[in-house]
Amino acid sequence: MKLHREGYLIITIGLIILIAIQGLNYYLWTIVGYWWLYALLTLGVIVMAYLIIQFFRVPKINYVEKPNEIICPADGKVVVIEEVEETEYFKDKRIQISIFMSPLNVHANFNPISGLMKYAKYHKGLFLVAWHPKSSTDNERTTFVIEHESGKEVLFRQIAGALARRICYYVEPGDKVIAAEEFGFIKFGSRIDLLLPLDTKIDVKIGDVVKGRITKIGELK
């Protein structure tokens, strides 16, 4: 496991603040003398330090690519599987699979397939809760489209949630990308949408807890 570069500054600032809080906690303990209060506050500092560090963790996973496989782009829970009208790029019907990422999930994002990055566009927007039906179209988001070697295209979106206030991505149109390689990061609770061809074989269902680079979402036909 490693720590994501997007977290270096936040982790440093957070730990400095927590160390200062713990120093004040110790000082108050020497004055007041309530050991249980000191222990309780110390436990709170330890938990906060753990939460800050674990949010930016990136587990090491070795993915072996399989033909036509769509691999999960993020850790989280499947909250939507439905046929929708995609209005930004395809302007036709697609199968939408939405993955909700809680603050406890790994927040690095990974390419669902290999191919040519045909489209990457950032949109300013709102910060509705990530499970809100309109978050896919109204929230701050970035849309990507990869053209697979079969000629089929897969669209996916990073969507900011009520807490997420920064979407980071590291790819541009024209890039050749590889399945399971990192393409971006979203800070705090958020969501990833996949828009797939209608004939895609889907291997997940609503309510499934999925893992980035591990769970098979489906297969292009």
Side-chain angles (χ1 to χ4, degrees), residues 9 15 38 46 54 56 90 94-96 110 130 138 163 167 187 201 204 213-215:
L9 180 59
L15 291 181
Y38 172 75
I46 293 173
Q54 71 86 34
F56 292 100
F90 295 116
R94 298 277 150 166
I95 298 175
Q96 176 176 317
F110 309 96
D138 292 359
L163 295 178
I167 292 175
K187 295 184 179 178
K201 178 181 178 294
V204 294
R213 300 172 293 169
I214 295 177
T215 305

Side-chain angles (χ1 to χ4, degrees), residues 9-194:
L9 180 59
I10 292 176
I11 291 172
T12 300
I13 293 173
L15 291 181
I16 289 173
I17 293 173
L18 290 175
I19 289 170
I21 291 173
Q22 183 61 12
L24 179 60
N25 181 30
Y26 178 79
Y27 175 72
L28 291 175
W29 176 52
T30 60
I31 296 176
V32 178
Y34 293 131
W35 68 267
W36 59 268
L37 180 60
Y38 172 75
L40 185 62
L41 291 175
T42 298
L43 178 60
V45 167
I46 293 173
V47 170
M48 287 302 299
Y50 169 76
L51 290 175
I52 292 172
I53 292 173
Q54 71 86 34
F55 179 83
F56 292 100
R57 74 195 188 282
V58 182
K60 184 177 180 181
I61 296 173
N62 295 318
Y63 170 68
V64 179
E65 187 174 359
K66 298 176 183 178
N68 300 324
E69 182 177 71
I70 303 167
I71 197 69
C72 187
D75 287 15
K77 183 177 181 180
V78 177
V79 294
V80 172
I81 300 177
E82 63 182 3
E83 185 177 310
V84 300
E85 186 76 23
E86 199 290 308
T87 59
E88 179 180 350
Y89 182 83
F90 295 116
K91 297 179 173 56
D92 64 11
K93 292 188 180 297
R94 298 277 150 166
I95 298 175
Q96 176 176 317
I97 298 178
S98 298
I99 300 167
F100 172 69
M101 305 159 64
S102 81
L104 297 179
N105 288 129
V106 172
H107 271 57
N109 306 145
F110 309 96
N111 298 311
I113 60 171
S114 296
L116 178 67
M117 186 66 67
K118 295 288 292 296
Y119 183 82
K121 187 174 182 179
Y122 169 79
H123 303 269
K124 292 183 179 180
L126 304 176
F127 296 96
L128 302 172
V129 290
W131 57 84
H132 193 286
K134 289 190 175 181
S135 64
S136 294
T137 54
D138 292 359
N139 275 22
E140 179 183 5
R141 62 201 181 280
T142 305
T143 303
F144 307 91
V145 176
I146 295 177
E147 183 181 55
H148 187 253
E149 63 179 8
S150 65
K152 293 198 171 183
E153 295 179 323
V154 169
L155 182 149
F156 50 105
R157 289 192 180 101
Q158 295 174 300
I159 301 171
L163 295 178
R165 299 288 165 144
R166 187 179 176 195
I167 292 175
C168 308
Y169 63 96
Y170 321 116
V171 293
E172 298 293 340
D175 290 350
K176 290 184 178 180
V177 298
I178 298 174
E181 284 194 351
E182 184 184 344
F183 74 84
F185 192 93
I186 313 178
K187 295 184 179 178
F188 306 107
S190 45
R191 171 171 159 173
I192 292 281
D193 282 355
L194 288 159

